[in-house]
Amino acid sequence: MRIVIVGGVAAGMSAASRARRFNPDASIVVFERGEQISYGACGLPYVIGGEVESFDRLIARTPEQMRGRGIGVRLRHDVTGVDSGAATVTVTDRATGQSCTEPYDRLLIATGVSPVRPDWAVTPLGGVHVLRDIPDGEALDASVRGAKRACIVGGGYIGLELAEALRARGVSVALLEKGPEVAGRMLDPDYQRRVRAELERNGVDVRCGVTVQGLTGKGRVSGVQTDQGLVRADLVVVAVGVKPNVGLAKAAGARLGRTGAVAVNARQETTVQGVYSAGDNTESVHRVTRRRVHIPLGLTANRMGRIAGVNMAGGDARFPGVVGTGIFKAFDLGVARTGLTQADADTLGLNAVSVDVSSTDHAGYHRTSRPIHVRLTAEKGSGRLLGAQLIGENHLSVKRVDVVAALLGQRATAQDLFDADLAYAPPFSGVWDVLLVAADRLHKLV
Amino acid sequence: MRIVIVGGVAAGMSAASRARRFNPDASIVVFERGEQISYGACGLPYVIGGEVESFDRLIARTPEQMRGRGIGVRLRHDVTGVDSGAATVTVTDRATGQSCTEPYDRLLIATGVSPVRPDWAVTPLGGVHVLRDIPDGEALDASVRGAKRACIVGGGYIGLELAEALRARGVSVALLEKGPEVAGRMLDPDYQRRVRAELERNGVDVRCGVTVQGLTGKGRVSGVQTDQGLVRADLVVVAVGVKPNVGLAKAAGARLGRTGAVAVNARQETTVQGVYSAGDNTESVHRVTRRRVHIPLGLTANRMGRIAGVNMAGGDARFPGVVGTGIFKAFDLGVARTGLTQADADTLGLNAVSVDVSSTDHAGYHRTSRPIHVRLTAEKGSGRLLGAQLIGENHLSVKRVDVVAALLGQRATAQDLFDADLAYAPPFSGVWDVLLVAADRLHKLV
């Protein structure tokens, strides 16, 4: 049994480890086009901001460690072609330029995503960055030294996390967002505005509804040209989204889903015999809507990788799907969401209702208690929970989103949440946790 | 419709508010033997420790506010008798000593618990305290001023919380526990030891397996005599447990349960027509074991009170039961549990298995991440989750116990927990939240 894995980060390395554990006899080889495997890409903004000591700290396992477990790892190797009839891949050594053909019994495509680079961002100017892998991070980090004015283009997770990181480095930050608000795909408008207010309170110059037209500069970037004038900047980060790397899957003849990512079944099998797909390049099923979605996030990628690894090695594991949980920190704010926003539910034509509760994360009389805001959404008629959005001024307080995430997996109702015996002591929550307060109001409306 | 409520703290005032909302025409009167209503007793240790500014801050609502909502409140009134045949109670005004008879259509007994005072603790000596209500707190607070050496007797919630509070006040603290460890009823032995180690790290002289025999002193206490010698102390707090105040329920002819607390059905009805019971004096149903239990805690009391209020006012509400969730802070540690410990499960004859995971509360490479320990317990065969215990060095991190608490209410399995789409970003958790790591190990063992 020969298992070939393309991509050695979250999904790929999880799959390799799982396959090895499940089948000690399989030959397993991982081809990674980059310089590192098994790193925590989600930590990149925190190295830039100084919360993590160094990029090395993000590396969970080295190629040597993997080889010690009998997993072959070839760095700087591009898999440039696949012949699914012959069950071979074409691999090019980036150092030498030499290509060879490698056979497989099972192939995993874990090629991840690439940052979207609009035409204006394809430039020889220095000081223009994306942030996806460790070399990106190192380049950005070098660029930050000596930079005075950063312009972040894009108000999603990465843009928001980098705004905090760059402010921590003493750089002035303008954040440009094409849409009407930051965090637009994650939150309902009221919650988007709370995030923007926190950015502004921390000195970020947030400009929404702005379209970038080009860059200015000689050698190094000096500004971002927009439909609303020039934004001066000696550092530009392009964080306008990601696209799944589906070239290899297409070459194998695997079907893509409507989302543009690779379509798979619950076993992570593509439509091509023996070819699996896992990680950010792959669709998943949303357990609330039962629709196929493309929400590339770290836990999902790791989970898919493990499922693929077990199945490639001869086992039978099923990916349970996601409920659309996401969380980020923006300065002092914690921001979390799970399931559907009211806007999501409206778009899907669901008969949904939301309640908003503003309270404190723990007993209001306690010295360290801080404001927290919760929007909870359920389906009218059935009472089924659809989603939650949380913003807390003590960032850790929004991790309670997990309670709703877990209940969404059970297709539980607002009443079920209200009946939950949540933990109470004054340093932890109010006697009625804010989630219970929200559930109490909501279950009367559904 | 005349609703009479005995006891004006958590359950009683919740019931009064709910009954008023449900039935605007009912006459509602609350008799409270103390000086205040509607206060957060759980906050008392935090006033002593200085985390809450004053005892007044614990008062959620005043009698005036309640009267403004058409709820009669009579402070310093003891309900000393009940004639359930005639549907009357005998009420004594503690100020004047005068008694009268009051009729009711619905009677709620929300008399709470009293601290257990062993014989040795019944003493005229000054400096000997229990902590249950605001006057207790004020007396203790006054006694702390000038005290040098405190001796806390009892290693449960209150004893542990007060150890921290008194150390914060600069008092040396010895904590005596009769059992083999502190937190004995809440946690399995390994977790008990972690709590003790934290107390000791913070200078608390913890002595377990010690039986108190008496007190020494003249005028003011000077020491605690034990089977292992004298412990010098100018301040003694007796925190050896609570007993339900069931005198009135017995007088009404209501049945007590095996736990010694008042037996009720899911509507909070006692065995006597028209007589309800709610709060710390009342049994509840444990949703994991389906047995009747007596676990007096703030959220449960409030919840029971609301249920009783609705039902007394003519509605139909049901108490869902508890899952045995508890949480406390001991210096920097957060400690939480829900469901059953392995010891609980063994006692009940369940075929249970536990796993222990020690990890970090958020990404290990992140500067602010701190150790967290999780024990997760499930039933063999069914895989059903039975309980969780958490200890975290960042106290807020253990609030994730709520995820398990919510799933216990759904009778979910370890696999269900493992499949939960929990939130991940480096400042909040590892990519595999410690609960997922534990669930992954556990579901393979069940």
Side-chain angles (χ1 to χ4, degrees):
Chain A
M1 161 82 77
R2 186 160 204 261
I3 294 172
V4 169
I5 295 172
V6 185
V9 192
M13 293 320 298
S14 294
S17 295
R18 244 341 104 138
R20 166 55 66 238
R21 206 177 292 188
F22 199 87
N23 185 339
D25 302 323
S27 155
I28 304 173
V29 60
V30 178
F31 296 105
E32 165 56 43
R33 68 194 308 276
E35 311 278 327
Q36 289 97 0
I37 57 161
S38 193
Y39 59 88
C42 305
L44 292 167
Y46 299 96
V47 186
I48 304 290
E51 295 284 306
V52 179
E53 282 164 28
S54 69
F55 290 103
D56 287 349
R57 296 273 289 140
L58 302 184
I59 297 174
R61 278 181 192 83
T62 62
E64 290 67 38
Q65 287 172 312
M66 298 312 289
R67 284 177 200 128
R69 295 163 66 185
I71 296 167
V73 175
R74 309 224 196 123
L75 296 178
R76 295 172 289 273
H77 278 67
D78 257 336
V79 176
T80 50
V82 53
D83 180 338
S84 55
T88 59
V89 290
T90 307
V91 183
T92 303
D93 182 335
R94 299 179 73 185
T96 65
Q98 289 189 318
S99 288
C100 64
T101 298
E102 296 269 355
Y104 66 80
D105 296 303
R106 302 280 185 275
L107 173 66
L108 176 64
I109 300 176
T111 44
V113 291
S114 292
V116 171
R117 270 198 192 257
D119 288 345
W120 59 259
V122 181
T123 172
L125 289 173
V128 181
H129 296 269
V130 293
L131 183 63
R132 179 66 205 159
D133 57 21
I134 289 180
D136 290 341
E138 289 169 333
L140 174 56
D141 187 60
S143 223
V144 173
R145 296 166 214 272
K148 294 216 170 84
R149 296 167 170 271
C151 180
I152 298 168
V153 183
Y157 287 116
I158 293 175
L160 295 168
E161 289 172 346
L162 277 176
E164 180 183 349
L166 295 177
R167 290 295 293 139
R169 293 281 291 270
V171 178
S172 85
V173 175
L175 189 146
L176 311 185
E177 165 59 43
K178 194 170 62 177
E181 267 298 351
V182 297
R185 288 169 60 188
M186 296 176 260
L187 301 171
D188 280 330
D190 283 359
Y191 283 71
Q192 296 165 7
R193 282 190 285 273
R194 290 184 192 279
V195 174
R196 179 165 59 150
E198 177 72 1
L199 295 172
E200 290 173 342
R201 204 174 66 77
N202 285 278
V204 178
D205 174 15
V206 182
R207 308 189 195 181
C208 295
V210 172
T211 301
V212 173
Q213 297 169 327
L215 301 172
T216 62
K218 269 193 198 172
R220 182 162 179 140
V221 70
S222 66
V224 178
Q225 191 65 56
T226 80
D227 61 349
Q228 290 170 41
L230 182 73
V231 178
R232 284 177 55 202
D234 50 8
L235 174 65
V236 173
V237 185
V238 183
V240 297
V242 293
K243 55 176 193 286
N245 295 323
V246 294
L248 196 66
K250 278 163 80 171
R255 194 172 71 77
L256 304 188
R258 269 191 239 173
T259 67
V262 183
V264 291
N265 62 18
R267 285 171 45 86
Q268 302 299 136
E269 293 168 332
T270 70
T271 51
V272 178
Q273 178 75 30
V275 180
Y276 295 72
S277 183
D280 287 355
N281 52 302
T282 311
E283 285 188 338
S284 55
V285 172
H286 198 296
R287 294 170 79 179
V288 175
T289 63
R290 310 236 197 248
R291 286 168 180 245
R292 301 199 166 266
V293 292
H294 179 231
I295 308 174
L297 287 173
L299 173 60
T300 306
N302 276 275
R303 216 187 261 280
M304 285 181 178
R306 288 165 57 124
I307 301 287
V310 169
N311 290 329
M312 290 192 296
D316 185 23
R318 311 275 162 151
F319 184 70
V322 301
V323 300
T325 310
I327 195 166
F328 65 94
K329 182 170 174 286
F331 297 95
D332 292 339
L333 284 193
V335 185
R337 52 94 21 105
T338 189
L340 309 178
T341 61
Q342 178 70 44
D344 291 338
D346 292 345
T347 303
L348 291 163
L350 293 169
N351 188 7
V353 60
S354 295
V355 294
D356 290 294
V357 173
S358 290
S359 181
T360 53
D361 60 347
H362 48 280
Y365 53 70
H366 200 278
R367 196 172 47 79
T368 58
S369 91
R370 304 289 301 141
I372 187 169
H373 310 278
V374 173
R375 166 167 285 199
L376 196 64
T377 304
E379 187 178 48
K380 280 196 183 180
S382 70
R384 185 164 65 100
L385 283 172
L386 294 176
Q389 297 163 70
L390 291 88
I391 289 187
E393 295 188 14
N394 176 335
H395 79 274
L396 290 175
S397 68
V398 303
K399 189 69 161 77
R400 55 192 9 101
V401 72
D402 285 347
V403 175
V404 182
L407 288 178
L408 287 174
Q410 302 290 305
R411 299 185 88 74
T413 64
Q415 176 82 51
D416 291 330
L417 174 56
F418 178 64
D419 287 346
D421 188 17
L422 304 189
Y424 162 59
F428 299 92
S429 80
V431 59
W432 294 99
D433 189 281
V434 61
L435 290 178
L436 297 178
V437 176
D440 185 30
R441 293 200 198 153
L442 187 58
H443 86 79
K444 293 169 188 158
L445 301 177
V446 293
Chain B
M1 162 82 76
R2 185 159 204 261
I3 294 173
V4 169
I5 295 173
V6 185
V9 193
M13 294 320 298
S14 293
S17 296
R18 241 344 103 137
R20 165 56 65 237
R21 207 178 293 187
F22 199 86
N23 184 340
D25 302 322
S27 155
I28 304 173
V29 60
V30 178
F31 295 105
E32 166 55 42
R33 68 193 309 275
E35 312 276 327
Q36 290 98 0
I37 57 162
S38 193
Y39 58 89
C42 305
L44 292 168
Y46 300 96
V47 185
I48 305 289
E51 295 285 308
V52 179
E53 283 164 28
S54 69
F55 290 102
D56 288 349
R57 296 274 286 141
L58 302 184
I59 296 174
R61 279 182 192 81
T62 62
E64 291 66 39
Q65 287 171 313
M66 298 312 289
R67 285 176 199 131
R69 294 162 66 186
I71 295 168
V73 174
R74 308 224 196 124
L75 297 178
R76 295 173 289 273
H77 278 67
D78 257 335
V79 176
T80 51
V82 53
D83 180 340
S84 55
T88 59
V89 290
T90 307
V91 184
T92 304
D93 182 333
R94 300 179 73 186
T96 63
Q98 290 188 317
S99 289
C100 63
T101 299
E102 297 268 353
Y104 66 80
D105 296 304
R106 301 280 184 276
L107 173 66
L108 176 64
I109 300 176
T111 44
V113 290
S114 293
V116 170
R117 269 197 192 257
D119 288 343
W120 59 259
V122 181
T123 172
L125 289 173
V128 181
H129 297 270
V130 293
L131 183 62
R132 180 65 204 160
D133 57 22
I134 289 181
D136 290 342
E138 290 170 334
L140 174 56
D141 187 60
S143 223
V144 172
R145 295 168 216 272
K148 294 214 170 85
R149 294 166 172 270
C151 179
I152 297 168
V153 183
Y157 287 117
I158 293 177
L160 295 168
E161 289 172 346
L162 277 177
E164 180 183 349
L166 295 177
R167 290 296 294 139
R169 292 283 290 270
V171 177
S172 86
V173 175
L175 190 147
L176 310 186
E177 165 59 43
K178 193 170 62 178
E181 268 298 353
V182 297
R185 289 169 60 187
M186 297 176 260
L187 301 171
D188 280 330
D190 283 0
Y191 284 70
Q192 296 165 7
R193 283 190 283 274
R194 289 184 192 280
V195 174
R196 180 165 58 148
E198 178 71 3
L199 294 172
E200 290 173 341
R201 204 175 66 77
N202 285 279
V204 178
D205 174 13
V206 182
R207 307 189 195 181
C208 296
V210 172
T211 301
V212 173
Q213 296 168 327
L215 301 172
T216 61
K218 272 194 197 172
R220 183 165 177 134
V221 69
S222 66
V224 178
Q225 191 65 56
T226 79
D227 61 348
Q228 291 171 42
L230 182 74
V231 179
R232 284 178 55 203
D234 51 7
L235 174 66
V236 173
V237 185
V238 182
V240 296
V242 293
K243 55 175 192 288
N245 296 324
V246 295
L248 196 66
K250 277 163 81 171
R255 194 171 72 76
L256 304 188
R258 269 191 240 173
T259 67
V262 184
V264 291
N265 63 17
R267 286 171 43 88
Q268 301 299 137
E269 292 167 332
T270 69
T271 50
V272 178
Q273 178 75 29
V275 179
Y276 296 72
S277 183
D280 286 355
N281 52 304
T282 310
E283 285 189 337
S284 56
V285 171
H286 198 296
R287 296 169 77 178
V288 175
T289 63
R290 310 237 198 246
R291 285 168 181 246
R292 300 199 167 267
V293 291
H294 179 230
I295 308 174
L297 287 173
L299 173 59
T300 306
N302 276 273
R303 213 187 263 282
M304 285 181 179
R306 288 164 58 122
I307 302 287
V310 169
N311 290 330
M312 290 193 295
D316 185 23
R318 312 275 162 152
F319 185 69
V322 300
V323 300
T325 310
I327 195 167
F328 65 94
K329 182 169 173 288
F331 296 95
D332 291 339
L333 284 193
V335 185
R337 51 93 24 103
T338 189
L340 308 178
T341 61
Q342 179 70 44
D344 291 338
D346 292 344
T347 302
L348 291 162
L350 293 169
N351 188 5
V353 59
S354 296
V355 295
D356 290 294
V357 173
S358 290
S359 181
T360 53
D361 60 346
H362 49 279
Y365 52 70
H366 200 278
R367 194 173 48 78
T368 59
S369 91
R370 305 289 300 140
I372 186 168
H373 310 278
V374 173
R375 164 167 286 200
L376 195 64
T377 305
E379 186 178 50
K380 280 196 183 180
S382 70
R384 184 165 64 100
L385 283 172
L386 294 177
Q389 297 162 70
L390 290 88
I391 289 187
E393 295 187 16
N394 176 334
H395 79 273
L396 290 174
S397 68
V398 303
K399 190 69 162 78
R400 59 201 351 113
V401 72
D402 285 347
V403 175
V404 182
L407 288 178
L408 287 176
Q410 303 291 303
R411 299 185 87 74
T413 64
Q415 175 81 52
D416 290 330
L417 173 56
F418 178 63
D419 287 347
D421 188 16
L422 303 189
Y424 162 59
F428 298 92
S429 79
V431 59
W432 294 97
D433 188 280
V434 61
L435 290 178
L436 298 178
V437 176
D440 185 31
R441 292 200 199 155
L442 186 59
H443 85 79
K444 292 168 188 158
L445 300 178
V446 293

